[in-house]
Amino acid sequence: FHVKRLFLSASLVLLTLGLTVTFSRLIWVTTVFGLIVFFALILFKYRSAHMEALKGGQMGRGVSIEDLYFPGRAGLVAMGLLVSLALNFFLFGTQIKDRLGAGEIDDIASSETYLDRKAYGNIAWNMFLKNPVLGVGLKNFVAETDNYSESRLLPYQHQPVHNIYLLVLAEAGVFGLAAFLLLLFDIVRRGLKKRTPQLLGECLLIIFLGFLSLGLFDHYFLSLHQGGLMFWLL
């Protein structure tokens, strides 16, 4: 049991390290929101159920172990996150400060990244307007960018649109996007149903909703093999 806790603690450090070295502000913000929801569930749902069971004398009588509140475990997770945060700040403090600098945030609207993403969005929309039913074909977005771009693209600018929903719309058309959204809706609907263990299901749902949010700003969940594995296995 102690080996398992040690392994999970080490995994938490490695995962936060991986999140940090992406140097993606969007991923950082999404992670923070996910953690807020996670701890809110523990404090306001599971802690409340635990206290109600104590008051009603129902402990051990029909109360699921997943409905109980273990402050030690929640504290252990919080402590692990704080240690990981401190370690990452020690290793990459300068880079983190640069990425969160007010001046850089003010320059986002004029940055090359923002302008490129805006251009990809326009290309995707043009593809949809000219091929609304079937799209340009799966995995054909990059190959067709020059035919739908309003300006000449440099070689390194040939990339998928940084939005998985626009990517599906451009490559598979309106019916492809409808099928994709229906599938995602069904996954989330099933995730909202009570399951055993319930907290695990809710954690997976939080991560999946984070993926769906990230999909509004990047394409790797559909365009890269590793991203597809993460998305669909989860």
Side-chain angles (χ1 to χ4, degrees):
F1 182 72
H2 295 294
V3 173
K4 179 181 178 181
R5 282 194 176 185
L6 182 63
F7 173 77
L8 292 176
S9 299
S11 300
L12 185 62
V13 174
L14 290 176
L15 286 170
T16 53
L17 178 63
L19 290 172
T20 300
V21 297
T22 63
F23 296 113
S24 168
R25 287 168 294 205
L26 178 63
I27 289 179
W28 293 351
V29 170
T30 305
T31 302
V32 169
F33 273 106
L35 289 172
I36 290 174
V37 174
F38 171 74
F39 282 107
L41 276 174
I42 292 176
L43 293 176
F44 297 109
K45 180 179 180 180
Y46 291 95
R47 180 177 179 274
S48 297
H50 178 77
M51 299 305 293
E52 288 297 324
L54 280 176
K55 292 177 182 179
Q58 299 174 350
M59 296 298 294
R61 294 187 300 175
V63 178
S64 170
I65 191 68
E66 287 297 328
D67 293 328
L68 304 183
Y69 169 65
F70 298 93
R73 294 182 184 178
L76 186 63
V77 173
M79 183 179 298
L81 288 171
L82 290 175
V83 171
S84 299
L85 180 62
L87 177 61
N88 282 288
F89 197 80
F90 174 77
L91 295 174
F92 306 103
T94 302
Q95 294 88 338
I96 293 173
K97 290 178 181 178
D98 291 340
R99 291 297 288 164
L100 297 179
E104 188 172 346
I105 293 177
D106 293 338
D107 294 336
I108 288 178
S110 60
S111 66
E112 183 180 8
T113 300
Y114 174 81
L115 295 176
D116 284 347
R117 293 188 182 205
K118 183 179 180 181
Y120 299 144
N122 291 334
I123 291 172
W125 188 249
N126 290 335
M127 287 182 181
F128 164 67
L129 291 179
K130 295 183 180 180
N131 307 275
V133 179
L134 299 178
V136 297
L138 296 178
K139 304 299 181 182
N140 281 341
F141 186 93
V142 175
E144 294 289 336
T145 50
D146 286 325
N147 298 328
Y148 296 90
S149 176
E150 299 174 355
S151 58
R152 181 176 176 273
L153 297 174
L154 297 174
Y156 72 89
Q157 291 178 311
H158 289 77
Q159 301 180 35
V161 58
H162 288 54
N163 183 306
I164 61 175
Y165 311 102
L166 283 178
L167 182 60
V168 173
L169 181 64
E171 292 187 341
V174 65
F175 294 111
L177 178 63
F180 181 62
L181 293 178
L182 184 62
L183 176 62
L184 297 180
F185 172 77
D186 187 60
I187 292 172
V188 174
R189 179 183 64 83
R190 292 172 182 267
L192 290 173
K193 290 183 177 180
K194 186 171 183 178
R195 61 179 63 217
T196 302
Q198 187 176 354
L199 182 58
L200 174 61
E202 290 168 341
C203 288
L204 293 175
L205 183 60
I206 291 171
I207 298 172
F208 189 67
L209 291 175
F211 282 5
L212 296 184
S213 300
L214 290 172
L216 291 167
F217 304 96
D218 225 315
H219 56 77
Y220 47 80
F221 288 122
L222 296 184
S223 62
L224 298 182
H225 180 64
Q226 299 91 332
L229 284 176
M230 281 195 303
F231 190 81
W232 294 113
L233 285 177
L234 180 70

